[in-house]
Amino acid sequence: MPGADGVLRGTFLFCAWLAWSRFRMVIPVWDQTLPTLIACLDQALRRIDGVPTYILTDNAKTVSIDHVAGVAVRHPQIVAAGRRYGTQVHTCVPFDPESKGGTDSTVRLAKADVVPTQANLRAEYDSIAELEAACEAFCAKVNGRVHRKPARVPAEALVEERVRLHVLPAAPHTLALGQTRMVNTDHTVRYGSVRYSTSPGLVGTEV
């Protein structure tokens, strides 16, 4: 779809679901960077108005930076985000349908319903707002009908599940608002190859 500059850009779908209520969330994004991931996580948690005890995700480089003796090493910012929201981030076991099945199902349904294909006869989206509206309509549809396995409506089940979720912090993790930088002793931060001045009193802090 065309970006702000009119140039065609690819988009991605952030897909999440709650295992008990089967409540699904689909958020369109421009990229798969760590700030975008944290922003999507924050938005998803605010949609359900709570925080689960742990979050299970794929083994993306933004989540796991390495594997030592078969054990995933989490990205420090992901660990910090987990502490901020009061949850633990775990990664799926590769090729394990039991740990990946729910996410894969959400992705498959969203792609079939939202992504333009010859099968669903959808036209291309002219803006990110149009894609966002399509994702919201998809979520409203799947969360408002009876789910086959638990035989209940996910949106209604979420009300019951919400009382078992942890309290959501009032403010999001700083990385959800953009990239962070440490303020140097000369009161500047570096972004790319450029240094920018900061307000007094921020030396040694993350901004």
Side-chain angles (χ1 to χ4, degrees):
M1 74 176 59
D5 53 4
V7 179
L8 291 177
R9 296 180 58 185
T11 54
F12 301 88
L13 296 179
F14 171 88
C15 300
W17 71 304
L18 283 171
W20 188 82
S21 64
R22 302 299 206 277
F23 189 87
R24 302 175 191 268
M25 294 156 283
V26 180
I27 304 170
V29 294
W30 288 118
D31 56 55
Q32 293 180 301
T33 60
L34 186 56
T36 297
L37 174 62
I38 300 298
C40 287
L41 177 61
D42 182 83
Q43 185 176 343
L45 295 177
R46 296 191 187 283
R47 286 190 184 183
I48 63 175
D49 193 24
V51 183
T53 301
Y54 67 89
I55 296 171
L56 188 63
T57 182
D58 277 338
N59 285 278
K61 284 295 184 181
T62 48
V63 178
S64 300
I65 58 176
D66 199 0
H67 284 77
V68 178
V71 178
V73 179
R74 302 280 178 261
H75 193 293
Q77 289 286 6
I78 287 293
V79 176
R83 285 198 299 266
R84 171 65 183 170
Y85 292 105
T87 187
Q88 293 185 7
V89 179
H90 297 279
T91 48
C92 297
V93 179
F95 311 109
D96 178 22
E98 290 189 359
S99 63
K100 289 176 62 65
T103 301
D104 289 346
S105 175
T106 301
V107 173
R108 185 178 66 254
L109 288 172
K111 288 175 66 176
D113 201 84
V114 175
V115 178
T117 63
Q118 292 183 348
N120 59 27
L121 301 180
R122 278 189 174 273
E124 293 183 357
Y125 297 101
D126 294 326
S127 67
I128 189 70
E130 200 175 314
L131 178 56
E132 287 176 340
C135 290
E136 290 177 4
F138 164 77
C139 292
K141 180 178 72 174
V142 296
N143 292 325
R145 67 189 183 192
V146 176
H147 192 283
R148 177 173 54 86
K149 286 189 176 179
R152 58 175 177 258
V153 177
E156 296 174 358
L158 174 61
V159 177
E160 184 177 346
E161 185 171 18
R162 188 174 286 136
V163 300
R164 293 173 172 82
L165 300 177
H166 304 299
V167 177
L168 184 66
H173 187 269
T174 53
L175 198 60
L177 307 176
Q179 297 187 36
T180 60
R181 293 291 186 273
M182 294 297 296
V183 179
N184 300 311
T185 54
D186 59 355
H187 301 277
T188 65
V189 293
R190 177 179 290 276
Y191 183 78
S193 59
V194 181
R195 284 191 176 278
Y196 296 90
S197 298
T198 63
S199 302
L202 297 177
V203 173
T205 62
E206 188 177 36
V207 297

